[in-house]
Amino acid sequence: MTKKIQICEVGPRDGFQSIKCAQIPTEQKIEIIEELLAAGVKHMEFTSFVSPKAIPQMADAADVTKAVLERHPDADLFALVPNLRGAANAYNLGLRKVCYVVSLSVSHNKANINRTHEQSLDAYREIRATYPDLDVIVDLATTFGCPFEGKYEDPAAVVAFLRDYVDAGMKAVCLCDTIGIADPAQVKAVIEAVKAAYPELHLGVHFHDTRGLGMVNTLTAMEAGVDEIQSTLGGLGGCPFAPGASGNLATEDAVWMLNEMGYDTGISFSKILAAAKHEKELIEGNYSGHHINIEQETPCRA
Ligand code: COA
Ligand code: ZN
């Protein structure tokens, strides 16, 4: 039987937002998104509706959305939103799926979206109540540790935090290792605890590659039974409000490994590699992906 896993590309959001010194032209962002879809990517976080003061790189979210939705109305495309206003902007442009971000860490939640946990939960409920037909998945940032508070040792804290969101109707959550601090033993423990407490949740993981553990953490999470893994083209990425955050697990590396292992990723390695090389050319000089095997034409099956 073919093994399946959902690969969710988040480079056009997490990757592009990490480029601070130059605005990537909107057409180039759209070009990369098109190449990702052409390579077989089926799930993608492609922009964010956030304050342009917080993340100037995402100021063209509306233009990117219009272009992409018009050409791919049926693809699983979604945008990150930090508040009701972001959700309204996304909804009014026709998006029916967003990702709402909240951090397990109180201090990162404050640094990233300027909220307490209570305010974040209220805003989540407000979005759900205002747009009942909007699919609101949740990104739990700093699930495994925080740039200000250090590593989290107790999986029970993740389970406890998610309780209010599950009660408020959350169907899908992505556990994000925002600064790349997780280790495989911790990943296994957290996933097992969350799955035991909320077996119905669609569970995703999102790893940064600070210590080169993006791949092994991802594979560990898959073995523990997650439904979705997130990665970025070229390994580009990092939250500007998390000091020390580095690039993400690189999509082309994940695709190579999973195709070789016999997973039906639906993504062509040669096409995704070409997209990664093209991305690097386009934004050369501002490139933040530290984990780049783009030059490596590894022989493979797909
Ligand atoms: N889209 C666009 N602009 C927005 C916005 C949204 N969703 N939400 C707020 N703004 C604008 C406000 O109009 C205001 O603009 P002004 O100063 O010109 O009047 C400004 O942003 C600040 O708004 P305010 O409501 O006072 O929020 P804040 O300063 O407390 O910031 C957030 C809160 C959530 C808007 C901001 O921290 C943010 O956008 N964070 C996103 C961070 C992020 O994307 N991190 C990486 C992903 S994990
Ligand atoms: Zn990230």
Side-chain angles (χ1 to χ4, degrees):
M1 205 181 70
T2 326
K3 296 174 278 186
K4 274 200 176 284
I5 184 75
Q6 190 169 313
I7 299 184
C8 181
E9 168 67 40
V10 298
R13 196 279 299 172
D14 205 350
F16 293 168
Q17 79 174 13
S18 70
I19 296 177
K20 297 183 203 100
C21 35
Q23 200 67 17
I24 307 169
T26 305
E27 315 76 67
Q28 291 188 0
K29 293 180 182 172
I30 296 166
E31 218 176 306
I32 295 294
I33 292 167
E34 290 291 344
E35 285 176 27
L36 283 160
L37 291 166
V41 168
K42 287 171 198 63
H43 313 275
M44 196 191 316
E45 184 180 62
F46 70 97
T47 190
S48 60
F49 288 88
V50 298
S51 161
K53 283 183 187 149
I55 312 262
Q57 190 61 257
M58 293 289 125
D60 59 0
D63 289 335
V64 174
T65 302
K66 281 181 209 153
V68 172
L69 271 196
E70 190 180 308
R71 289 179 224 170
H72 307 279
D74 299 324
D76 179 23
L77 299 169
F78 60 98
L80 180 142
V81 303
N83 55 14
L84 181 63
R85 174 159 165 200
N89 290 345
Y91 191 90
N92 291 334
L93 286 164
L95 274 178
R96 290 296 176 267
K97 179 174 174 182
V98 294
C99 165
Y100 177 75
V101 61
V102 57
S103 300
L104 184 59
S105 149
V106 170
S107 42
H108 183 259
N109 207 47
K110 182 75 186 161
N112 195 38
I113 48 175
N114 195 23
R115 290 230 183 84
T116 63
H117 277 168
E118 292 71 23
Q119 289 167 331
S120 280
L121 181 60
D122 286 348
Y124 174 73
R125 290 189 175 127
E126 196 181 14
I127 293 170
R128 294 294 315 255
T130 311
Y131 300 105
D133 61 333
L134 185 64
D135 192 1
V136 189
I137 64 172
V138 173
D139 259 6
L140 184 60
T142 66
T143 297
F144 303 92
C146 155
F148 315 109
E149 298 172 11
K151 193 155 174 171
Y152 298 138
E153 301 297 344
D154 186 8
V158 179
V159 171
F161 183 87
L162 294 176
R163 180 80 264 163
D164 288 332
Y165 285 82
V166 170
D167 289 348
M170 178 180 72
K171 299 276 183 291
V173 67
C174 185
L175 305 176
C176 300
D177 183 17
T178 308
I179 52 165
I181 199 172
D183 68 80
Q186 182 191 23
V187 169
K188 184 168 184 289
V190 170
I191 305 290
E192 285 176 355
V194 172
K195 274 185 77 77
Y198 312 112
E200 305 300 323
L201 267 185
H202 175 96
L203 204 54
V205 283
H206 170 122
F207 290 109
H208 285 257
D209 208 23
T210 314
R211 300 278 168 250
L213 292 181
M215 192 81 93
V216 70
N217 283 337
T218 298
L219 190 59
T220 303
M222 286 173 55
E223 284 166 359
V226 296
D227 305 289
E228 172 186 325
I229 64 165
Q230 297 195 340
S231 57
T232 68
L233 190 68
L236 201 64
C239 171
F241 302 101
S246 68
N248 295 54
L249 168 65
T251 305
E252 63 277 14
D253 292 350
V255 166
W256 190 87
M257 177 181 79
L258 296 171
N259 284 353
E260 291 298 300
M261 287 174 76
Y263 278 86
D264 174 17
T265 65
I267 301 175
S268 150
F269 174 69
S270 53
K271 286 186 185 165
I272 203 88
L273 185 66
K277 284 181 177 175
H278 186 208
E279 177 191 65
K280 194 176 182 192
E281 273 162 32
L282 287 179
I283 54 184
E284 192 70 74
N286 298 305
Y287 211 81
S288 70
H290 76 289
H291 178 69
I292 300 296
N293 286 335
I294 289 174
E295 309 311 329
Q296 192 81 25
E297 295 271 9
T298 322
C300 66
R301 292 183 196 146

